[in-house]
Amino acid sequence: MQEKETTKNFGAYMDRTIKLIKHNYTKSFKEIGVDITTEQWVILDSLNEKDGLSQNELASGSFKNAPTVSRIIDLLCKKDLTERKPSKEDRRKHHIFLTVKGRNTYLKALPIVEGLRKKGWNGLNDEDYDHFIRIMNQVFSNFEL
Amino acid sequence: MQEKETTKNFGAYMDRTIKLIKHNYTKSFKEIGVDITTEQWVILDSLNEKDGLSQNELASGSFKNAPTVSRIIDLLCKKDLTERKPSKEDRRKHHIFLTVKGRNTYLKALPIVEGLRKKGWNGLNDEDYDHFIRIMNQVFSNFEL
DNA sequence: TCAATATATTTGTCATAGCAACTATTGTTA
DNA sequence: TAACAATAGTTGCTATGACAAATATATTGA
């Protein structure tokens, strides 16, 4: 029988798992010749969902901060996967759009991502997922206050 | 009733939760005047558990890679929290030890860390923890192959 | 023993992330 | 309207992290 720790070091488990997940994404993207990082994928995914988001909207949607998004967009634009268009209503804002190349890249990467998600959840079921989401949301809201 | 996605985007939940956890650690360390980062804490914690580990051992124990550990130890030594001592058996190796200041820093930070772990698991119980660990281990081993 | 190989660590480069400070613009309010 | 505050984005600085290459030392095998 396993002794219960007085405090639960759940962070370490998440940390090592996240690192391994990102490693798998990076490796798989490279294998199919898609030149993006895991974090760049997150941004492309948001834009595919809703094109023309502002950088702030991308930031809050992906839980990144403004400088990080600014620099990721720099790189994506340099690779011609996205473009910045100045907003007409608010001249401080940029709207970010997928280019044709960006959308193609997204579509090329998508089956890989879905494959990795399936692979990662192998041996687990929908109940596990519900429980997992409940735990994650609880931990998140515990720290949010 | 919630529709089940075909693929489960568990990574995003872990990502945002990890970020929030680290933010809380950083903020709390600062508040009590402990000048270390979350990742530096991880290394100090390993050394408190077993002093004199080599950098490689620290790396594999904390799921960091060798260059990252090398640089974290640089910073910890600069702050006089650890010291490198050359190994006698193997002249490639260093053994890393906590200094007195390092151990005091560890002891000062420890109750904060335990408080944050308790806070994070608030509203959750031991069964949740068992399930959480099972899920994390399963996901980890799914990607390890 | 000598050459090939493996291991421990360091260094360089780039991407991500957090924080602070800055610019430019917009909104508020006295 | 003029000052002030708020917002969107950028830039600088530092830390972490991944990866490749370099150095120094150890180990192995012909």
Side-chain angles (χ1 to χ4, degrees):
Chain A
M1 177 106 67
Q2 196 193 315
E3 278 293 312
K4 291 293 169 197
E5 309 98 312
T6 45
T7 61
K8 306 194 179 337
N9 190 4
F10 47 92
Y13 285 90
M14 293 169 66
D15 186 58
R16 68 164 201 170
T17 306
I18 281 267
K19 278 176 186 160
L20 185 57
I21 291 173
K22 287 189 181 170
H23 176 76
N24 272 260
Y25 271 68
T26 306
K27 203 182 56 177
S28 299
F29 287 154
K30 196 170 190 180
E31 278 168 7
I32 61 164
V34 164
D35 177 30
I36 57 172
T37 65
T38 308
E39 306 308 329
Q40 288 164 16
W41 161 261
V42 170
I43 297 297
L44 294 183
D45 195 29
S46 300
L47 290 174
N48 178 73
E49 183 70 27
K50 188 160 173 6
D51 214 10
L53 287 171
S54 73
Q55 295 189 188
N56 259 351
E57 289 166 333
L58 282 169
S60 59
S62 63
F63 297 93
K64 299 181 183 307
N65 54 24
T68 299
V69 168
S70 181
R71 280 153 180 148
I72 291 177
I73 299 294
D74 283 350
L75 292 171
L76 289 173
C77 287
K78 199 176 292 174
K79 289 192 279 197
D80 197 31
L81 301 177
T82 60
E83 59 182 331
R84 285 187 170 98
K85 289 185 184 167
S87 167
K88 283 163 191 165
E89 322 88 59
D90 186 337
R91 294 194 307 169
R92 293 168 303 182
K93 266 193 194 171
H94 295 141
H95 295 292
I96 314 298
F97 294 89
L98 285 176
T99 62
V100 170
K101 186 178 171 193
R103 192 170 305 277
N104 288 339
T105 299
Y106 173 82
L107 291 172
K108 191 169 176 190
L110 182 59
I112 296 300
V113 170
E114 287 179 337
L116 286 172
R117 287 179 183 162
K118 276 204 193 86
K119 179 181 177 185
W121 210 251
N122 197 35
L124 298 165
N125 58 32
D126 286 353
E127 282 176 59
D128 294 321
Y129 193 65
D130 286 344
H131 198 169
F132 173 76
I133 297 303
R134 179 171 74 78
I135 291 170
M136 283 296 98
N137 284 338
Q138 180 71 48
V139 172
F140 189 84
S141 66
N142 286 342
F143 279 121
E144 222 182 358
L145 312 176
Chain B
M1 179 101 70
Q2 195 193 317
E3 276 294 311
K4 292 292 169 199
E5 308 96 312
T6 45
T7 61
K8 307 196 180 334
N9 190 4
F10 47 91
Y13 285 90
M14 294 169 66
D15 186 59
R16 68 166 201 168
T17 305
I18 280 270
K19 279 177 186 159
L20 185 57
I21 291 173
K22 287 188 180 170
H23 177 75
N24 273 259
Y25 271 68
T26 306
K27 203 181 56 173
S28 299
F29 287 154
K30 197 171 189 179
E31 279 168 6
I32 61 163
V34 165
D35 178 29
I36 57 172
T37 65
T38 308
E39 305 309 329
Q40 289 165 15
W41 161 260
V42 170
I43 298 298
L44 294 183
D45 195 31
S46 300
L47 290 174
N48 179 73
E49 184 70 27
K50 189 160 174 5
D51 214 10
L53 288 171
S54 74
Q55 296 189 186
N56 257 353
E57 289 165 332
L58 283 169
S60 58
S62 63
F63 298 94
K64 299 181 184 306
N65 53 23
T68 298
V69 168
S70 181
R71 279 153 180 148
I72 290 176
I73 299 295
D74 284 348
L75 292 172
L76 289 173
C77 288
K78 198 177 294 175
K79 290 192 280 198
D80 196 31
L81 301 177
T82 61
E83 60 182 329
R84 284 187 171 96
K85 290 185 184 167
S87 167
K88 282 162 191 166
E89 322 88 61
D90 186 338
R91 294 194 306 167
R92 294 169 300 182
K93 267 192 194 173
H94 296 140
H95 295 293
I96 313 298
F97 294 90
L98 284 177
T99 62
V100 171
K101 185 178 170 192
R103 192 170 304 277
N104 287 339
T105 300
Y106 173 81
L107 291 172
K108 191 170 174 189
L110 182 58
I112 295 299
V113 169
E114 288 180 335
L116 287 173
R117 287 179 183 161
K118 277 203 192 87
K119 178 181 176 183
W121 209 253
N122 197 34
L124 299 164
N125 59 33
D126 286 354
E127 282 175 57
D128 293 321
Y129 194 65
D130 286 344
H131 199 169
F132 173 76
I133 297 303
R134 180 170 74 77
I135 291 170
M136 283 296 95
N137 284 337
Q138 180 70 49
V139 172
F140 190 84
S141 67
N142 286 343
F143 279 121
E144 221 180 0
L145 311 175

